[in-house]
Amino acid sequence: SAMILSIVVAVVLTPALCATILHPRDFEKGEATTGIFGWFNRNFAKCVRLYVAIVGRMTGRWFRYSLVYILIVAAMLYSFRHIPTAFLPDEDQGTLLVEIQLPAGATMSRTRALARSVAEYFLNEERESVEAVFYVIGFSFSGQGQNSAMAFIRLTDWSRRQRPDLRVRALQARAMRRFMEIREGVVFPIVPPAVMELGFAGGFDLQMIDMADIGHVELMRAKDAFLAIANSPRYAHLIRNVRHNGKSDTPQYKITVDMAKAWSHNVALGDIHDMLTNGWGGRYVNDFLHKGRVKKVFIQAEAGARMLPEDFDRWYIRNGLGKMTPFGALVSGEWIYGSPRLERYNGLPSVEIMGDAVQGVSTGQAMLACEEIMREVNRTIPGVTLDWTGLSYQERQVGEQIAALYALSILAIFLFLAALYESWTIPISIILSIPIGILGVAGAALVYHLSNDIYFQVGFLTIIGLAAKNAILIVEFARTLNEEEGMDVIAAVREACRLRLRPIMMTVFTFILGVLPLAFSRGAGSGAQNAIGIGITGGMITNTLLGIFFVPLFFVLVTRIFSVRKGRVSR
């Protein structure tokens, strides 16, 4: 909407305003200007003369400065390749999650005691950054059960957490070090992702899938091997908090029905199933009114008759003849280990593994480390593969598409310019200026430890357009002076630089001042704002300091090369 309004103003109102307001003035001599404006114009005129002289020197020594440009392109490629990848920047959303998991069979009282100690830690030792704690027993993101719990930490307002040690990542690191001392269970502090609908935790999220039907036991062995390597000192500088987001195998009592005995006693299999379901799990059967309220009726065996496997011998079931038959005579049981929940991914057995990147390491680097660990696990346990899910899946999808997006953007600029100038050669001098702006974006990302995420890519694409726009301001005038007014190509470039430096600097400073609030943003949403603001600021600085000198050189070289090929020598 802003661009559409800008176009309407430029086409409809600007010509009328120019005719009404503007008057001929010689700013280089300081005419019709006084005070600070006169001082600025006189000094700016000196800068323009120096700039034009440097441009003339560069066009006269084109080979030397062409080598400098090649070095700039090489530095741009090197810097861009070393920017770590990510999908979204880390965001302090004012909340922290804590997942609590006790051993299988732990009672609710033990879980509640551990959850209470976690809450007391945040409320007492981290009270400067924590406002409130709310915890739930019997529920967690890895499954339900009386040995599971979740704590939801609400942090104080961002205005009260300006210090780096009060940010959510610093709080998570301190809490993790403290919770590593706990022996009663496993406690993981989790920073929520920037987009809550794409998973419930930041970092990376993968599925370890059984592709060769190796079985549950081998899959669990592969999972344990992966976690052992991931949490070893070898990868401590890249990843941390690597964990299985699920329930570990727990003791289970497997009941086997003797079909021959059931048939001989005239007992139907459905009756055996109903008795197990009703006796152990309970069953809703009816409602009744009590003091004006509707209450539900459940049937279930008494607690003393469903505590141990030997209690089956105390049960009796009615057969088809109406007689009571000992239930223990029809079934047998054994203790086994098994998963308390069925985990599938794309219809195949799997286990979910989550983790975080170390502070200063991007999720892209952490994902590469996980793939390396998976290859090491496959050497001993083949048949298990890795697939990304949640935010990690989105990051990989974006990473595979971004190169094509950059190429398409540059191609669109080239085609528009070719149509504008009715030439296939003139746009080349404009396209050549784009790597100079990209160098600034990549350099700013490396200096400020930014990741190549989707917000950074928005700034990257913006710089492509702005670099082309600044080059157009020079090339447009130089082409007109050279082709329509018959001026020598070098003289045309010098004159274009003299006339167009002021609007170029106006554009540059306006845009830089416009994005500086994003670059210095703190608090809610600052990760995305910093990624855009810092990248664009760095790109505009290099495009201004270097681009305004190289664009005239590109125009002179392209004009001379293609004029010679067409059989005429440019003057």
Side-chain angles (χ1 to χ4, degrees), residues 16 90 101 163 234 251 263-264 326 370 411 433 476 520:
D90 287 336
Q101 191 71 38
R163 299 203 318 265
R234 290 169 49 194
W263 179 80
S264 64
C370 291
L411 177 62
S433 66
E476 175 72 20
F520 292 107

Side-chain angles (χ1 to χ4, degrees), residues 224-235 239 373 376-377:
D224 294 338
F226 185 96
L227 295 179
I229 299 174
N231 291 308
S232 65
R234 290 169 49 194
Y235 292 94
I239 53 180
I373 296 172
E376 185 174 346
V377 172

Side-chain angles (χ1 to χ4, degrees), residues 9 20 32 93 96 105 148 281 285 297 342 351 393 418 434 467 517 521 547 563:
V9 171
T20 304
Q93 301 188 74
L96 183 69
S148 301
V285 294
V297 179
L342 188 65
V351 291
Y393 173 78
I434 292 178
S521 174
S563 295

Side-chain angles (χ1 to χ4, degrees), residues 365-502:
Q365 295 171 302
M367 291 166 65
L368 292 176
C370 291
E371 291 175 349
E372 182 181 339
I373 296 172
M374 193 70 247
R375 287 191 292 270
E376 185 174 346
V377 172
N378 281 333
R379 295 191 188 103
T380 56
I381 310 175
V384 180
T385 188
L386 175 152
D387 200 358
W388 299 106
T389 186
L391 285 173
S392 301
Y393 173 78
Q394 297 295 330
E395 179 176 337
R396 278 300 168 90
Q397 290 292 101
V398 170
E400 294 173 357
Q401 299 170 359
I402 194 62
L405 180 61
Y406 293 158
L408 183 62
S409 301
I410 296 175
L411 177 62
I413 292 174
F414 179 82
L415 294 178
F416 276 113
L417 294 175
L420 174 65
Y421 297 124
E422 297 181 354
S423 169
W424 295 104
T425 58
I426 296 299
I428 296 177
S429 60
I430 297 174
I431 297 298
L432 289 174
S433 66
I434 292 178
I436 298 176
I438 297 176
L439 175 63
V441 178
L446 292 177
V447 170
Y448 288 93
H449 305 289
L450 300 179
S451 300
N452 186 6
D453 51 54
I454 57 175
Y455 292 105
F456 178 83
Q457 291 158 11
V458 170
F460 184 93
L461 294 175
T462 304
I463 286 298
I464 291 178
L466 291 173
K469 180 181 182 299
N470 288 341
I472 290 172
L473 292 176
I474 296 176
V475 171
E476 175 72 20
F477 265 65
R479 175 179 173 273
T480 301
L481 294 173
N482 175 243
E483 296 184 0
E484 298 181 7
E485 299 186 14
M487 189 178 292
D488 177 75
V489 64
I490 294 182
V493 163
R494 290 166 62 96
E495 182 66 12
C497 292
R498 186 184 70 83
L499 295 174
R500 304 312 290 167
L501 181 61
R502 185 183 291 264

Side-chain angles (χ1 to χ4, degrees), residues 22-23 86 118-119 151 180 282 285 316 382 429 461 553 556 562:
L22 297 183
H23 302 285
V118 169
M180 290 292 291
V285 294
Y316 288 85
S429 60
L461 294 175
L553 175 63
V556 171
F562 287 97

Side-chain angles (χ1 to χ4, degrees), residues 131-361:
E131 181 175 333
V133 178
F134 170 75
Y135 62 86
V136 180
I137 308 299
F139 161 80
S140 71
F141 292 134
S142 59
Q144 298 181 2
Q146 60 180 347
N147 62 329
S148 301
M150 281 292 300
F152 302 86
I153 317 299
R154 180 179 177 180
L155 307 185
T156 56
D157 190 78
W158 290 274
S159 60
R160 298 167 57 187
R161 294 189 289 113
Q162 294 294 325
R163 299 203 318 265
D165 61 306
L166 300 181
R167 304 286 172 79
V168 66
R169 284 290 178 183
L171 176 62
Q172 181 200 26
R174 290 196 301 272
M176 192 64 205
R177 287 194 296 268
R178 176 63 178 272
F179 297 154
M180 290 292 291
E181 303 173 359
I182 296 177
R183 294 292 179 262
E184 293 86 351
V186 179
V187 182
F188 284 107
I190 302 170
V191 176
V195 181
M196 292 297 292
E197 287 75 11
L198 295 176
F200 62 87
F204 56 85
D205 191 349
L206 65 92
Q207 292 281 346
M208 185 180 293
I209 306 172
D210 178 6
M211 298 291 293
D213 195 22
I214 60 176
H216 178 75
V217 175
E218 288 297 300
L219 181 61
M220 292 298 104
R221 194 163 70 91
K223 180 260 296 182
D224 294 338
F226 185 96
L227 295 179
I229 299 174
N231 291 308
S232 65
R234 290 169 49 194
Y235 292 94
H237 64 291
L238 293 174
I239 53 180
R240 62 181 181 180
N241 300 348
V242 185
R243 60 197 181 276
H244 170 217
N245 186 39
K247 294 281 190 178
S248 301
D249 286 354
T250 58
Q252 299 177 351
Y253 194 69
K254 180 181 178 181
I255 298 174
T256 304
V257 179
D258 191 328
M259 298 300 298
K261 289 184 178 180
W263 179 80
S264 64
H265 286 82
N266 199 17
V267 177
L269 182 61
D271 295 337
I272 297 176
H273 175 269
D274 290 342
M275 189 165 187
L276 287 172
T277 303
N278 299 338
W280 244 267
R283 179 183 176 186
Y284 165 71
V285 294
N286 204 348
D287 295 327
F288 76 98
L289 291 174
H290 179 68
K291 296 181 180 180
R293 299 181 62 183
V294 178
K295 296 188 176 181
K296 296 182 178 181
V297 179
F298 290 85
I299 61 172
Q300 190 178 33
E302 293 183 358
R306 52 181 173 87
M307 299 293 292
L308 300 172
E310 291 77 12
D311 291 336
F312 281 131
D313 296 333
R314 303 168 58 186
W315 289 23
Y316 288 85
I317 186 171
R318 192 179 303 276
N319 62 15
L321 302 177
K323 298 181 180 180
M324 305 303 293
T325 302
F327 190 78
L330 307 178
V331 299
S332 60
E334 59 177 334
W335 285 102
I336 62 172
Y337 271 89
S339 176
R341 69 174 187 175
L342 188 65
E343 296 185 64
R344 293 288 185 272
Y345 189 76
N346 290 336
L348 297 173
S350 68
V351 291
E352 185 179 16
I353 295 178
M354 306 184 71
D356 296 317
V358 174
Q359 187 72 24
V361 177

